Structure formats: structure tokens, C-alpha cells
Amino acid sequence: MALSTLEAKYIALTKAIKEAQWLQGLYTKIQQPIPRAIALYSNNTGAIATTKDPKHHQRTKHTLVKFIYTREAQRARDIDIRYISTEDMATNSLTKPLESTKQLKFQQILGLIRQHPH
């Protein structure tokens, strides 16, 4: 059975949470300051809603069993999942073809290139 877009986004969000938690552990081990909750951004409101309250999303039941700690990380405030529109998602510059001005803007936001004074 193919995954729905919601399920795929939820699984991707879960993987991002795993990485965030790993980074929190690393920073703690090397005694570096880190915010209590790491902000994660998603452009899928359904995945965000499922993380906060899975009751309304019956198709994701098997996914939720496998990735149940995602909700627990949200409840424990280890992570803070926030909505960002697809148009404003800077990481799209790494995965999608974009017009050159948008590509340049996103690369600057991500710190991949220096901003040039105008």
C-alpha cells in the first residue's frame, strides 16, 4: 500500500525529530548551550496536527504506532513543530529547482553563501 502525502510527511517529520533529539544529546555531552525545545518546520498542517492530536487522522493509525514517540517529544517540549509555507521553506533550495532569485535568497538564509552588499 502506498503512503499518503500525510503519512509520508509525518514519517519525514519523525526522522527530523530523531535528528533533533540526537543533536540535543550531543550538545549536552559536549556541554554546549542548546534551547530546551528545538524548532522544526513543516509545510504540512495535517502532519503537524497529527503530532499534536492523532484522533482525527484514521489513515495514519499504523504509522502512529510505529512513530509514537513523535507525539511524546512534542508533549515533553523537546521539539516545537511550527508551520511554514512551501513558498518560504528555505530548504527547498536544496531539493527543488527554483528561479535564480529565490535560490539565491534561500542560500543566503541557510548561510550557504554570503550576502553581498548592494
Side-chain angles (χ1 to χ4, degrees), residues 38-101:
I38 293 179
L40 295 177
Y41 295 90
S42 175
N43 64 345
N44 190 289
T45 55
I48 295 170
T50 300
T51 301
K52 294 178 181 179
D53 183 12
K55 294 176 186 173
H56 305 295
H57 304 282
Q58 292 179 1
R59 285 215 55 214
T60 60
K61 186 175 183 179
H62 69 281
T63 306
L64 292 175
V65 170
K66 190 174 180 184
F67 299 105
I68 197 163
Y69 71 87
T70 301
R71 287 194 327 263
E72 296 305 318
Q74 177 78 16
R75 282 189 201 137
R77 300 192 191 282
D78 291 337
I79 52 132
D80 178 20
I81 302 171
R82 302 175 186 174
Y83 174 78
I84 187 169
S85 73
T86 302
E87 288 296 312
D88 295 329
M89 194 170 287
T91 54
N92 283 344
S93 68
L94 303 172
T95 60
K96 295 182 169 103
L98 302 171
E99 61 183 51
S100 61
T101 55

Side-chain angles (χ1 to χ4, degrees), residues 11-23:
I11 290 169
L13 190 57
T14 300
K15 288 180 180 183
I17 290 168
K18 286 181 184 179
E19 292 294 323
Q21 289 174 330
W22 184 86
L23 286 170

